[in-house]
Structures are given as C-alpha cells and as structure tokens.
C-alpha cells in the first residue's frame, strides 16, 4: 500500500501460499483428537464472564495505548523471559476476574493463524481465530500469574488452527463475551 500511495512500483512478491492452505490446516485441526481433547480439557471448568451471551445488551470497548510504557514493558518481559503480550494479558485477565467477581475467568484471545511456512507472510487473507484462554487469577504474585498466562499461551499455540465456531458448538459455550487483541505497532516497518 505504501508503494502504491507514493506512486512507486509495488515491492510485493507474487503470492506463493493460498488462503485454502489455511483452510486445510483448520480442517486438519478439526480432525485432530489431540486438539479437541486439549480444548475440552482447557475449558472443562471455564468461568465465562457474566455478561457473555446472546442476551447481553451492553457492549463495552476499552482500548489502551501502552506506548508510554513500551520500554518498561520490554525490560520487564526480558527479565522474566516472557513476551510483553503475556504481561498485558495477565493484567487483562486479572481485571476481568475482579469485574466478574471470580478468581477464574475466560477471555478469547485473538490468534494470528498464518501458517509458519515460506510464503505464509505474503498470503492474502484474514487469518484470525479468537480462541479462549481460561485462567485462575488467584496466584501468590503478579510474576506467578504472568508466568502461568505465558505458559498457557505457549501450550495452546499448537492448537490455534482449531476454528472457534466449531469449538463453541462442540462444547456448548459462548466465547464471545470478551476479546483481547495485543498489537505491538513498534514491529511494523513502514
């Protein structure tokens, strides 16, 4: 887009990976007993926000610009050997649990499901899948909560292709009550 806006020839290489490759990965995940068992186990005692459901009438949106905390967040993440996203996600889960009046809480986390293969970064399509993360926020320290959230994210990474619609249908859960999306704009090179 930047090349086009400046009147230059596009530097985008021809697409080598098609969107149907992503669909094939979703179909493979649907046929995987391991992925289904993972999500079934992870959500066995899921505590959904009280405002979840088709009857909920209020919609809340909170967007925070954390750029002023960028350096502190990066330094803390590096010292803990976790991602900055894990720190912010732990805070998100803690606040949700307090608002919900529970220690356990489930929120959907936007997963970027682009395939990690040559050409995956140039494939055209929307590769988002908001998958649930169920956390018990009642921990001894923030460090412990952050480490648990980081570990849960890593554990679920291999199952991120499982389509959330089928997961909701199979487990009879409405996972639409809350959505977390962390975008580090400092990684975008324009």
């Amino acid at each position: 887009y930047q090349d086009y806006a400046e009147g230059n020839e596009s530097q985008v290489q021809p697409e080598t990976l098609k969107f149907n490759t992503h669909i094939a990965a979703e179909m493979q995940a649907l046929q995987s007993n391991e992925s289904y068992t993972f999500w079934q186990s992870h959500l066995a005692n899921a505590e959904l926000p009280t405002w979840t459901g088709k009857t909920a009438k209020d919609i809340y949106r909170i967007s925070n610009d954390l750029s002023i905390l960028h350096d502190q967040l990066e330094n803390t993440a590096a010292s803990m050997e976790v991602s900055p996203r894990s720190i912010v996600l732990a805070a998100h889960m803690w606040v949700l649990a307090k608002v919900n009046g529970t220690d356990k809480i489930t929120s959907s986390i936007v997963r970027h499901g682009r395939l990690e293969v040559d050409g995956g970064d140039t494939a055209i399509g929307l590769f988002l899948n908001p998958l649930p993360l169920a956390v018990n926020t009642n921990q001894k320290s923030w460090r412990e909560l952050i480490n648990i959230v980081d570990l849960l994210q890593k554990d679920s990474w291999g199952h991120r292709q499982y389509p959330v619609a089928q997961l909701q249908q199979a487990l009879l859960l409405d996972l639409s009550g809350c959505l977390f999306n962390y975008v580090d704009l400092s990684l975008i090179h324009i």
Side-chain angles (χ1 to χ4, degrees), residues 173-187:
L173 294 172
D174 182 352
L175 301 169
S176 67
C178 191
L179 183 69
F180 175 86
N181 188 25
Y182 178 85
V183 179
D184 187 349
L185 297 177
S186 70
L187 299 176

Side-chain angles (χ1 to χ4, degrees), residues 60-66 181:
Y60 303 95
R61 180 178 300 213
I62 298 172
S63 179
N64 294 310
D65 178 359
L66 302 176
N181 188 25

Side-chain angles (χ1 to χ4, degrees), residues 13-184:
Q13 300 299 314
E15 186 179 343
T16 58
L17 190 69
K18 303 288 185 201
F19 189 68
N20 65 352
T21 308
H22 172 72
I23 300 300
E26 284 188 336
M27 297 301 292
Q28 184 177 359
L30 281 171
Q31 296 170 1
S32 166
N33 286 333
E34 181 184 353
S35 284
Y36 178 76
T37 301
F38 171 84
W39 288 114
Q40 186 179 37
S41 173
H42 181 68
L43 296 171
N45 297 311
E47 180 76 35
L48 298 176
T50 56
W51 57 86
T52 296
K54 298 187 185 312
T55 59
K57 295 180 182 174
D58 296 327
I59 297 175
Y60 303 95
R61 180 178 300 213
I62 298 172
S63 179
N64 294 310
D65 178 359
L66 302 176
S67 60
I68 60 170
L69 301 174
H70 183 268
D71 292 343
Q72 289 174 299
L73 192 58
E74 289 287 327
N75 291 338
T76 302
S79 73
M80 292 183 67
E81 298 180 344
V82 299
S83 69
R85 171 188 169 124
S86 292
I87 295 172
V88 177
L89 180 54
H92 164 80
M93 300 302 279
W94 186 85
V95 169
L96 279 182
K98 296 308 168 207
V99 169
N100 202 52
T102 59
D103 288 331
K104 295 179 182 179
I105 196 67
T106 303
S107 180
S108 291
I109 315 305
V110 174
R111 299 298 178 121
H112 302 276
R114 285 186 178 274
L115 299 177
E116 295 173 353
V117 296
D118 286 340
D121 60 332
T122 61
I124 297 172
L126 188 62
F127 300 90
L128 304 179
N129 193 23
L131 290 168
L133 187 72
V135 175
N136 183 347
T137 63
N138 187 15
Q139 303 303 323
K140 295 176 186 172
S141 67
W142 274 103
R143 180 176 292 273
E144 190 172 323
L145 177 58
I146 291 165
N147 284 327
I148 287 170
V149 166
D150 189 65
L151 181 63
L152 287 171
Q153 286 188 97
K154 289 174 181 173
D155 287 349
S156 67
W157 184 254
H159 308 285
R160 72 188 184 285
Q161 301 295 346
Y162 204 97
V164 69
Q166 277 72 21
L167 188 60
Q168 291 184 121
Q169 185 178 24
L171 300 178
L172 303 174
L173 294 172
D174 182 352
L175 301 169
S176 67
C178 191
L179 183 69
F180 175 86
N181 188 25
Y182 178 85
V183 179
D184 187 349

